[in-house]
Amino acid sequence: MSWEPILDEALRGTALEVVQSIAVHLRHYDAEDATLSGGSAGLAVFYHYLDRAGMGDGHSSCRFLEHAMDAVATTPMSASLYEGLLGIAWAVAHLSEPPGGGDTLNDVDSLLLDLLRRPWHGDFDLTNGLVGIGVYARERLPSSAAEEMLALVVAQLDSLAVKDPDGITWFTGPELLPADARMNDAPGGYYNLGMAHGVPGVIAFLSHAYALGVERSKVRRLLDDAIRWLLARRIDSSGAGQFPRCIGPGIVPEPAKAAWCHGDPGVASALMLAAQRIGQPHWEQTAAAIGRRSALQLREEPQVAEAGFCHGAAGLAHLFHRLYRATGDTQFKAAAVTWVRRTLDMRTDQGIGGYLALTGSHGKTVWTPEPGMLAGAAGIGLSLLAASTSIEPLWDRIYLLSN
């Protein structure tokens, strides 16, 4: 389907006013953080799409991107996609004209290729690990380095796959978990079932790899087995959802709250990508059924406390919007519009453009102004912009929601 606004004129006007308010608040934001998820790299993406919609100032995107690039030389940071060097490099590649980043990112490519040619001992996931490298490599196409990176990521995922009677999966060892999760929730590690840190993220990435022609026979085998394993993890639930956040030693499987990062809408989105890239009608029917059930349950039991993309209302609006584009099912369109309304209803007279985010601090959660693309105002603005304009939101490749 071509990309067109899904909101009526009045709601679109309100949504765009909110986007403009967020833009005004963020324009002079003193971004200490340079990352894609929470800092200036993500703000550069926001202002780029604002410019494309004819609502920007023509220079804020470049200013924030320059800040992020300068930070690479002066600030110690990890190599992760969401919280480190790789996310800044992704933003450079995504925002370049023509896209890809040219020779600017050759040193990053060389570093990653060197890492990928060795045995892998880190995370496999989207935010910090192999899948994140694959997302970056996709953005670097058509370079030969990107093609090699994609093939190496597939090979590393194949080597790390854990065989199971139900198929294959990927395990997160306790040494890779934050200290509080390791001590309190999963001392033996876990199998994560969310898009951000788990198996659905691998499935979505492999779907892209297949569409790009990367190691197709191997990728198809991995997809078949991983989807079979994931669908076998559904739990009997008449309430919040069918998929737990994680399973593992000593963990009682309980339905995850519905969000992009974990829960049924993210699972449905990953399965839908796989179904349509491979051409597998059964997967598509299963994905649509999971998505429709989630939309219905969320209408009856909203469960959502905040507006941000990662685990809030704006993210749900965009997930259902993408499912609508993929299927043409007006039930998903109605759900997307409902969650746009709820995003707008969550606006207050505080924060950035009227939005605060729930953040953890010393075992407590507090409401704080959060500028970023993942949990903050920039991500809310991008979701509202996508619902209100005809500009296709290819920024959501960072969330594994588009090709």
Side-chain angles (χ1 to χ4, degrees):
M1 297 177 65
S2 61
W3 199 271
E4 298 295 339
I6 58 169
L7 308 181
D8 62 34
E9 185 175 353
L11 192 58
R12 185 164 66 247
T14 301
L16 290 176
E17 286 177 9
V18 172
V19 172
Q20 194 63 262
S21 176
I22 291 170
V24 169
H25 276 79
L26 286 176
R27 188 163 289 130
H28 303 293
Y29 188 80
D30 186 11
E32 297 180 6
D33 185 341
T35 67
L36 183 63
S37 65
S40 52
L43 300 189
V45 174
F46 169 62
Y47 281 104
H48 172 81
Y49 280 87
L50 204 65
D51 288 342
R52 291 190 59 195
M55 297 172 59
D57 58 14
H59 62 80
S60 288
S61 178
C62 291
R63 179 169 61 85
F64 280 115
L65 190 61
E66 287 171 2
H67 173 272
M69 294 171 68
D70 289 344
V72 172
T74 59
T75 307
M77 61 180 68
S78 72
S80 77
L81 182 65
Y82 278 35
E83 299 292 340
L85 165 66
L86 204 54
I88 296 170
W90 183 93
V92 171
H94 187 69
L95 302 182
S96 295
E97 290 293 343
D103 294 339
T104 307
L105 299 170
N106 285 351
D107 288 345
V108 176
D109 295 349
S110 296
L111 171 65
L112 293 172
L113 286 169
D114 184 53
L115 290 172
L116 289 169
R117 288 167 183 154
R118 307 174 188 177
W120 189 265
H121 300 292
D123 288 298
F124 69 85
D125 69 358
L126 168 63
T127 59
N128 299 307
L130 285 168
V131 172
I133 295 176
V135 170
Y136 164 77
R138 182 261 171 268
E139 213 64 31
R140 286 286 282 147
L141 288 172
S143 74
S144 58
E147 293 174 357
E148 185 178 357
M149 276 188 274
L150 287 167
L152 287 169
V153 169
V154 169
Q156 292 282 9
L157 288 170
D158 189 22
S159 70
L160 292 176
V162 178
K163 291 181 172 56
D164 177 278
D166 294 317
I168 61 168
T169 185
W170 287 267
F171 183 69
T172 303
E175 72 282 1
L176 296 174
L177 296 175
D180 57 343
R182 186 170 61 247
M183 294 175 61
N184 302 322
D185 302 322
Y190 59 38
Y191 299 94
N192 191 291
L193 277 71
M195 185 78 95
H197 298 291
V199 175
V202 178
I203 289 170
F205 164 70
L206 290 172
S207 304
H208 292 325
Y210 186 90
L212 294 167
V214 179
E215 301 285 351
R216 278 195 159 178
S217 60
K218 182 185 296 183
V219 167
R220 179 59 194 267
R221 170 177 56 81
L222 292 171
L223 276 171
D224 286 342
D225 290 346
I227 289 174
R228 186 157 49 89
W229 182 90
L230 179 63
L231 292 178
R233 305 281 81 75
R234 281 187 284 194
I235 55 180
D236 292 330
S237 169
S238 59
Q242 301 175 65
F243 292 89
R245 183 171 187 166
C246 57
I247 61 172
I251 299 174
V252 177
E254 296 179 349
K257 290 184 178 180
W260 166 77
C261 54
H262 48 64
D264 290 14
V267 171
S269 298
L271 289 175
M272 185 63 72
L273 270 179
Q276 297 197 328
R277 299 300 180 264
I278 302 293
Q280 176 46 272
H282 174 67
W283 293 348
E284 182 166 351
Q285 292 161 10
T286 302
I290 293 167
R292 283 192 292 267
R293 177 177 170 178
S294 182
L296 179 61
Q297 289 170 334
L298 283 165
R299 188 174 69 192
E300 297 173 353
E301 302 176 42
Q303 312 173 325
V304 177
E306 58 185 306
F309 194 96
C310 181
H311 40 267
L316 288 169
H318 195 73
L319 285 165
F320 289 124
H321 191 172
R322 273 292 181 190
L323 286 170
Y324 166 61
R325 298 292 174 186
T327 64
D329 186 337
T330 55
Q331 185 172 341
F332 289 130
K333 180 180 179 180
V337 172
T338 293
W339 283 100
V340 167
R341 291 185 184 278
R342 288 183 177 167
T343 301
L344 297 174
D345 289 345
M346 288 178 176
R347 195 178 183 214
T348 70
D349 58 358
Q350 302 179 63
I352 298 171
Y355 291 100
L356 296 167
L358 276 173
T359 57
S361 178
H362 304 295
K364 298 180 180 179
T365 54
V366 293
W367 290 99
T368 58
E370 167 58 50
M373 189 172 167
L374 182 63
I380 296 167
L382 285 167
S383 176
L384 294 175
L385 198 65
S388 306
T389 72
S390 58
I391 307 299
E392 185 172 3
L394 296 179
W395 50 264
D396 68 5
R397 289 203 286 248
I398 199 69
Y399 299 110
L400 285 170
L401 295 175
S402 65
N403 205 27

